[in-house]
Amino acid sequence: MRWPFARAARAPIDRSDWIDDQGWGTVVGAQPFLARLDGDASRRLRAACGAFLATKAVNGAGGLVVTDAMVARIATQACLPILELGVETYPTFAEIIVYPDDFIVDRQIVDEDGVVHAWTEAIAGESWDDGPVVLAWDAAERDAKAKRPSPFAFNVVIHEFAHKLDMNNGAVDGMPSFSRALHRGLEPARWLDVLASSFDDFAGRVEAVERSIPRNVDPESARADRWYATLPLDPYAANDEGEFFSVTSEAFFVAPGRLHEAYPDWYALLRAYYRQDPLSGLRPSAPR
Ligand SMILES: [Zn+2]
């Protein structure tokens, strides 16, 4: 598919010296969930970002001018999940498109009677199979400047790139492909088992919360937030197993405590898959 939006093309960046020491320090310092990385991990993340940016262009759309700081922020968040897997784990898509804020997409389904239902949706991020990752910069920054602090660990960049990993072997179903060299201990059957039981449990929790919201409170409104806040994860994870994988990947990297507490077996599988343990590596003094 072709993207009809006018935007200034930004060429992929050379992997060497894509950022200077001071710039790197600023990027890492601005993202508390990177504080757990030691000097070696930080150096490897920096190199991974360079390799990533050498093959992927970050382009603005909808009038957004992409700055170096935005590129650095997106690259670090995209590369954190594959720090121990290798940049080549991401499929061959070449473009990341960034909108200033939530963007409108056209949706269409044909129901069983052959009737076409079409509607539009405002979304914060999207991953196309074999196509670009599309992000809303506002969403990427939302957590930092939210008026209503969210109890959940939002990170739209990690979310969309987790979908990319999930797509490596076809469907977005919460089952990424395992590498023979890196994932020797990971059994697909065990993964699917724990995924199904964790997802079912969480979907049940979301239903229970929805039932508990009083009838005079719109469940889509901010007033309903305090009911959803009792959940261990963003309720969006209850959509399907693919969203469960992406939402729990966000939580795993950004604020792993609640995820580990609620779903320790699933956390252990994510730890084995990503080959990182954000929980044990987090410094107790790290903010948030
Ligand atoms: Zn998603």
Side-chain angles (χ1 to χ4, degrees):
M1 100 155 252
R2 288 182 64 85
W3 286 84
F5 317 105
R7 56 180 185 270
R10 198 185 171 99
I13 293 171
D14 185 349
R15 78 168 62 189
S16 56
D17 294 336
W18 71 277
I19 195 166
D20 63 25
D21 290 352
Q22 194 189 353
W24 181 247
T26 304
V27 172
V28 170
Q31 304 182 85
F33 54 90
L34 298 177
R36 71 179 167 88
L37 302 180
D38 62 16
D40 173 61
S42 175
R43 265 190 303 280
R44 288 187 298 111
L45 180 64
R46 182 174 169 178
C49 290
F52 175 86
L53 291 170
T55 59
K56 317 252 186 278
V58 183
N59 292 322
L64 182 79
V65 176
V66 175
T67 64
D68 289 349
M70 290 178 186
V71 169
R73 184 78 73 101
I74 290 167
T76 48
Q77 294 175 10
C79 290
L80 181 63
I82 47 86
L83 180 61
E84 305 299 339
L85 304 178
V87 174
E88 62 283 358
T89 315
Y90 283 133
T92 52
F93 73 98
E95 190 177 20
I96 297 146
I97 298 171
V98 192
Y99 281 84
D101 40 38
D102 286 7
F103 48 96
I104 308 294
V105 292
D106 293 317
R107 300 290 194 207
Q108 188 170 312
I109 54 163
V110 182
D111 69 18
E112 50 212 17
D113 300 322
V115 178
V116 177
H117 300 266
W119 72 99
T120 58
E121 228 172 44
I123 60 172
E126 191 162 56
S127 279
W128 287 69
D129 197 7
D130 272 337
V133 167
V134 191
L135 302 166
W137 181 250
D138 170 65
E141 291 287 84
R142 193 173 296 157
D143 206 20
K145 60 181 183 190
K147 290 195 193 78
R148 296 185 280 126
S150 163
F152 307 121
F154 290 123
N155 189 292
V156 69
V157 179
I158 294 176
H159 182 103
E160 297 308 329
F161 279 86
H163 281 320
K164 279 289 180 196
L165 296 172
D166 193 350
M167 281 171 200
N168 265 351
N169 55 356
V172 178
D173 53 5
M175 174 86 237
S177 54
F178 297 154
S179 145
R180 207 177 285 181
L182 303 176
H183 297 130
R184 218 164 288 164
L186 269 179
E187 296 282 345
R190 161 106 182 124
W191 180 279
L192 289 172
D193 236 33
V194 177
L195 173 62
S197 60
S198 308
F199 173 75
D200 288 348
D201 177 85
F202 185 67
R205 291 196 202 196
V206 172
E207 273 172 31
V209 164
E210 282 168 350
R211 279 196 303 271
S212 73
I213 297 174
R215 283 176 139 204
N216 61 346
V217 174
D218 176 358
E220 302 287 318
S221 71
R223 283 184 63 208
D225 282 3
R226 66 188 178 93
W227 280 272
Y228 288 111
T230 61
L231 291 166
L233 296 166
D234 178 358
Y236 195 65
N239 273 18
D240 54 46
E241 284 88 343
E243 295 305 340
F244 189 81
F245 173 67
S246 273
V247 169
T248 53
S249 292
E250 290 176 68
F252 180 79
F253 286 107
V254 176
R258 281 176 103 172
L259 170 66
H260 180 262
E261 206 175 292
Y263 298 108
D265 291 346
W266 180 242
Y267 182 94
L269 289 177
L270 290 177
R271 186 176 57 203
Y273 172 70
Y274 287 114
R275 306 179 78 231
Q276 301 182 46
D277 189 354
L279 199 56
S280 74
L282 277 176
R283 292 179 196 155
S285 61
R288 274 212 320 151

